């Protein structure tokens, strides 16, 4: 296989009284969509925050295109070509779409901000993602799904090599998720490496090429998605024997809802809602 785009080797991170990551490896190739999987507290977010300069690592090395990097801030990571779109979109709702895309790096003309160029380039960027909106309107005019696309447009325009999507579909409906996946595949074809974090197994198996599983801050393994059955993935995430997980699944399938009423609410009302 070609040289990895990103290599994280023997990553360790400790907090007072807790070792959040212990000797973790992670590899991402260009044009790959790779999922980080694990239960809450497994170390997924910590690993991403180490990569993006939010947390300093206590041990290990990170290589981007074979070159060692050590981002100390999210800005350092962005300068290296590592961009993140979080579940809660970190954009400014009171600024226009175009301003959000170019904030901090506005094109200038004769020392003044070139608003015409900003608006034109913002519209062109979004059009490439099949998003056609008025970029001169403030962000709060648009849905969470569109705000995700705007955040992705900004991430891609800063010459990103790696795009991290942290629970991007948690607030999206089925149609919006399908559009996001279409954009992800488009970016994948352009050679972007994408790290996808989600707790929706169906989505992981639909969009991801590989899965890396963490448990209790340690690496369980990295797997080709098509060759990893879902129950086996769950067993690796929770640290149980595969047969034990199968038994749990069989019990869940045989469970029948009771006819007994658990909750009964009628004529509930609230003014203006």
């Amino acid at each position: 296989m070609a040289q990895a785009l990103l290599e994280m080797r023997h990553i360790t991170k400790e907090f007072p009284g807790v070792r959040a990551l212990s000797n973790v490896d992670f590899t991402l190739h260009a044009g790959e969509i790779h999922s980080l999987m694990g239960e809450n507290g497994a170390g997924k977010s910590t690993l991403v925050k180490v990569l993006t300069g939010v947390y300093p690592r206590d041990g290990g090395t990170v290589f981007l295109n074979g070159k060692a990097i050590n981002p100390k801030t999210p800005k350092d990571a962005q300068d290296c070509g590592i961009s993140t779109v979080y579940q809660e979109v970190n954009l400014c709702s009171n600024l226009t779409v175009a301003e959000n895309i170019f904030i901090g790096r506005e094109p200038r003309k004769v020392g003044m901000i070139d608003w015409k160029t900003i608006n034109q380039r913002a519209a062109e960027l979004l059009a490439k993602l099949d998003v056609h909106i008025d970029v001169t309107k403030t962000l709060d005019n648009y849905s969470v799904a569109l705000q995700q696309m705007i955040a992705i447009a900004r991430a891609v325009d800063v010459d990103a090599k790696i795009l991290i999507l942290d629970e991007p579909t948690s607030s999206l409906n089925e149609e919006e998720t399908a559009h996001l996946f279409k954009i992800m595949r488009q970016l994948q074809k352009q050679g972007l490496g994408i790290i996808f974090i989600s707790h929706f197994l169906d989505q992981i198996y639909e969009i991801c090429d590989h899965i890396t599983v963490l448990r209790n801050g340690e690496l369980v393994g990295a797997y080709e998605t098509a060759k990893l059955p879902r129950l086996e993935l769950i067993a690796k995430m929770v640290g149980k024997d595969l047969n034990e997980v199968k038994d749990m699944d069989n019990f869940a399938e045989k469970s029948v809802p009771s006819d007994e009423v658990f909750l009964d609410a009628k004529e509930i009302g609230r003014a203006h809602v």
Side-chain angles (χ1 to χ4, degrees), residues 113-223:
I113 294 177
D114 186 351
W115 292 109
K116 182 179 179 181
T117 298
I118 285 177
N119 292 333
Q120 181 180 336
R121 285 183 56 191
E124 290 171 352
L125 274 171
L126 289 170
K128 290 179 181 178
L129 302 183
D130 197 23
V131 176
H132 305 278
I133 58 175
D134 185 348
V135 299
T136 65
K137 287 186 175 181
T138 55
L139 190 74
D140 55 11
N141 281 283
Y142 297 108
S143 67
V144 172
L146 283 172
Q147 291 182 29
Q148 291 273 13
M149 295 299 146
I150 293 162
I152 290 172
R154 173 179 166 79
V156 172
D157 192 56
V158 296
D159 197 24
K161 300 178 181 69
I162 296 170
L163 179 63
I164 303 168
L165 299 175
D166 188 1
E167 296 286 358
T169 63
S170 58
S171 300
L172 306 187
N173 61 31
E174 190 173 333
E175 184 180 344
E176 292 166 340
T177 298
H179 186 211
L180 173 64
F181 284 3
K182 177 183 175 183
I183 300 307
M184 288 172 63
R185 292 187 180 99
Q186 180 181 321
L187 295 173
Q188 179 185 25
K189 288 178 182 177
Q190 295 172 12
L192 222 66
I194 300 175
I195 300 173
F196 182 71
I197 301 173
S198 174
H199 61 278
F200 295 119
L201 284 186
D202 287 347
Q203 294 180 7
I204 296 296
Y205 277 87
E206 179 181 350
I207 196 68
C208 295
D209 305 303
H210 290 86
I211 298 171
T212 289
V213 180
L214 301 180
R215 187 173 67 243
N216 298 327
E218 298 182 350
L219 174 68
V220 177
Y223 311 93

Side-chain angles (χ1 to χ4, degrees), residues 92-112:
C92 302
S93 60
N94 61 317
L95 298 181
T96 69
V97 170
E99 286 174 313
N100 269 287
I101 292 176
F102 287 98
I103 190 169
R105 53 194 188 90
E106 298 87 350
R108 293 180 179 269
K109 199 172 186 179
V110 198
M112 304 291 288

Side-chain angles (χ1 to χ4, degrees), residues 240-256:
K240 292 184 179 295
D241 181 80
L242 180 59
N243 290 326
E244 191 175 353
V245 174
K246 285 180 179 177
D247 290 340
M248 292 167 59
D249 191 54
N250 289 335
F251 177 78
E253 285 184 358
K254 292 174 183 176
S255 297
V256 178

Side-chain angles (χ1 to χ4, degrees), residues 48-55 64 69-84 86 90 101-106 154-155 157-162 164:
V48 166
K49 288 177 178 177
V50 166
L51 174 61
T52 56
V54 177
Y55 294 151
L64 185 63
I69 61 170
N70 186 25
K72 293 180 168 31
T73 65
K75 178 66 165 59
D76 287 347
Q78 185 174 291
D79 290 343
C80 291
I82 303 169
S83 290
T84 307
Y86 295 99
N90 54 342
I101 292 176
F102 287 98
I103 190 169
R105 53 194 188 90
E106 298 87 350
R154 173 179 166 79
D157 192 56
V158 296
D159 197 24
K161 300 178 181 69
I162 296 170
I164 303 168

